[in-house]
Every structure is written in C-alpha cells, then in structure tokens.
C-alpha cells in the first residue's frame, strides 16, 4: 500500500466516522496556514518567536486530533453510547480553545499562564476546563472503541492509544499548569529552542513529555499496521517510558537537546 493511498483511505474513514470533526480539522488546517502567513507579515514577537507561532501549531495539533478521533470512530461496527455527543463536545471545546488562543495572539499576549489580570485569570481557567475536556472525551471515545475491539487489532490499538494518550497528556499538562510555565531553568525564551518545536536547549522543557504522551494516540494505531500485537504493546510501553524519561529530564532542568 503506497503512502498516498493510505492517507486517502485514512481521510475517507475520518470523514465517515465524524463529518463534524473532519470538516473542523480541514478548517483548522487552513487556520494554521493563515497563521503561518501572518507570521511572515506581522513582526511582533512573544517569548522570542512570532505571536502567531502558538495558534499555528495549536490549529495543526487539534486538526490531527480531530482526524484521529474521526478515524477511530469509523472503526466502530455500530454506534456506541455517548460517542456522538462526545465528538460534538470535542468540536465545541477545540474551537473555544482556538478562539481564545487567536484572540491573545492578535493582542500580542500569551494565552497560556496569562493571569496578569482577574479577567485574564478567569479566561485562562475556562480555557483549561475546555482543554481538559479534549483529553477526557478523547479517552472516553478510546474506551468505547476498545470495548468493541472484538479481536480486531486495529480497534484495540486505536482504543488503547486514545486512552493512553489522554492519560499521559493530562498528567503532563496538569503538572505543567501547576508550575505556570513549561521552562525549568535555562533561558526563559523560545528564541533559542529546537527548530519547529522551540523546545529549550538550555534547560528543562515540559512540553517534550507532553508532546510524546499526547501522540501515543497516533503511535499505537500506526504500530498496528505491523499486524503484531506485541509490537503494539511495545510501542505503548515505549510511549510511557519516553514520556517518563523526558518528564524527569525536564523537572531536573535537562534539555532534550543541548545548545
């Protein structure tokens, strides 16, 4: 199976599973491209990088999540209780979060950890609730898919991936939020970070473990292409270990890659 065919089939399945999340993902990808265009024409910086970097990446991340969820739902042979309402909540929560992030970027302000005023603190807390709902309902859908696995390895991997990703992302994000920042030691700027991700090269950065944990949602289903259950579970274990190791590095002020 060539890559273009596999991608086409994946997109068809995502659209079949949840047209709402599919079209939302398409619009979010367009939003990401628009933010990268603004990055070129708007010279304003925040934490050493363009104010449009964060919304561009979040649009992309939520698009990937939406397509993953839609694809996972397509694996269900029959409607599972709570799945339809969960996809609607994910749609609503994703767009509320993006509206807030874009609003802050347009003002040249930070969206995360912005508690400078009482209003900002309230808005940030509300955004946090919607962010938590994204992982919770992703995990719930994963549970429903896993319940209906019926010996099918892809459904098993998709369900486990969503549940594991939701758990790891929630744990790492919760600790990150409690510190009111993702840097631990080093330069408090993204300007000296690693390429596309801007992960710190001078100190610890909790975003690394959060990224790895969250994307267990994609890593485990990809492992199922091997048609080997051991490979799937080994990849799941590797996701846990990699998340734990990079988390430990971060809280000890050690960068993933040193400048």
């Amino acid at each position: 199976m060539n890559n273009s065919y596999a991608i086409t089939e994946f997109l068809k399945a995502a659209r079949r599973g949840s047209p709402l999340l599919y079209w939302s993902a398409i619009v979010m990808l367009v939003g990401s491209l628009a933010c990268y265009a603004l990055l070129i024409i708007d010279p304003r910086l925040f934490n050493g990088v363009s104010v449009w970097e964060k919304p561009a990446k979040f649009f992309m991340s939520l698009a990937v999540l939406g397509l993953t969820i839609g694809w996972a739902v397509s694996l269900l042979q029959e409607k599972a209780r709570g799945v339809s309402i969960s996809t609607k909540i994910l749609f609503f929560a994703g767009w509320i979060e993006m509206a807030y992030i874009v609003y802050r970027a347009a003002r040249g302000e930070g969206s995360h950890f912005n508690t400078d005023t009482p209003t900002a603190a309230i808005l940030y807390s509300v955004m946090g609730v919607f962010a938590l709902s994204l992982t919770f309902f992703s995990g719930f859908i994963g549970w429903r898919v896993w319940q209906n696995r019926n010996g099918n390895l892809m459904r098993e991997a998709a369900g486990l991936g969503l549940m594991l990703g939701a758990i790891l992302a929630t744990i790492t994000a919760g600790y990150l939020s409690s510190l009111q920042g993702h840097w631990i030691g080093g330069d408090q700027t993204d300007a000296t970070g690693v390429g596309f991700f801007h992960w710190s090269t001078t100190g610890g950065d909790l975003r690394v473990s959060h990224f790895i944990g969250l994307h267990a949602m994609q890593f485990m289903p990809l492992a199922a292409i091997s048609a080997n259950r051991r490979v799937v579970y080994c990849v799941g274990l590797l996701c846990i270990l990699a998340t734990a190791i990079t988390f430990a590095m971060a809280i000890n002020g050690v960068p993933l890659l040193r400048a």
Side-chain angles (χ1 to χ4, degrees):
M1 183 184 294
N2 61 55
N3 292 336
S4 60
Y5 177 79
I7 292 170
T8 299
E9 290 302 302
F10 169 79
L11 292 174
K12 286 181 180 178
R15 183 178 179 181
R16 184 171 65 251
S18 175
L20 180 66
L21 291 181
Y22 173 83
W23 288 112
S24 175
I26 297 301
V27 175
M28 284 194 173
L29 288 173
V30 173
S32 180
L33 291 174
C35 286
Y36 277 116
L38 287 170
L39 183 149
I40 296 171
I41 63 177
D42 187 343
R44 292 176 300 159
L45 302 178
F46 185 80
N47 287 337
V49 297
S50 171
V51 296
W52 296 106
E53 280 267 6
K54 179 163 285 186
K57 290 187 175 70
F58 268 76
F59 267 129
M60 192 181 302
S61 178
L62 287 173
V64 171
L65 176 64
L67 292 173
T68 301
I69 295 293
W71 168 80
V73 172
S74 76
L75 297 176
L76 290 168
Q77 293 180 312
E78 56 186 34
K79 289 185 178 180
R81 187 176 180 182
V83 169
S84 179
I85 186 64
S86 294
T87 58
K88 291 178 175 64
I89 292 172
L90 287 168
F91 169 83
F92 181 70
W95 279 105
I96 289 293
E97 183 170 12
M98 284 314 310
Y100 177 71
I101 293 172
V102 170
Y103 165 72
R104 287 299 185 192
R107 291 169 58 92
E109 302 169 342
S111 52
H112 291 65
F113 320 117
N114 186 341
T115 56
D116 294 343
T117 66
T119 300
I122 292 171
L123 289 175
Y124 176 54
S125 296
V126 171
M127 188 192 74
V129 171
F130 283 109
L132 183 60
S133 70
L134 286 171
T135 55
F136 177 83
F137 286 101
S138 295
F140 173 78
I141 290 174
W143 176 57
R144 283 302 193 194
V145 173
W146 182 81
Q147 279 187 316
N148 290 273
R149 61 196 183 280
N150 297 325
N152 183 286
L153 181 59
M154 188 58 77
R155 283 197 291 270
E156 184 175 351
L160 287 173
L162 286 173
M163 289 189 286
L164 180 61
I167 291 169
L168 294 176
T170 300
I171 292 172
T172 52
Y175 186 81
L176 193 155
S177 181
S178 71
L179 295 183
Q180 286 294 296
H182 51 76
W183 295 301
I184 299 179
D187 299 333
Q188 305 293 293
T189 177
D190 285 334
T192 57
V194 176
F196 175 81
F197 297 103
H198 299 297
W199 294 333
S200 178
T201 57
T202 58
D205 197 326
L206 290 162
R207 292 176 297 184
V208 181
S209 58
H210 180 66
F211 176 88
I212 295 171
L214 177 64
H215 288 290
M217 294 182 181
Q218 289 80 37
F219 295 144
M220 292 192 71
L222 284 172
I225 295 174
S226 69
N228 189 318
R229 183 168 275 99
R230 289 183 180 179
V231 172
V232 171
Y233 280 86
C234 282
V235 168
L237 180 60
L238 285 173
C239 287
I240 295 171
L241 290 174
T243 301
I245 291 169
T246 52
F247 180 82
M249 290 171 64
I251 62 176
N252 284 287
V254 179
L256 179 67
L257 297 172
R258 192 172 292 278

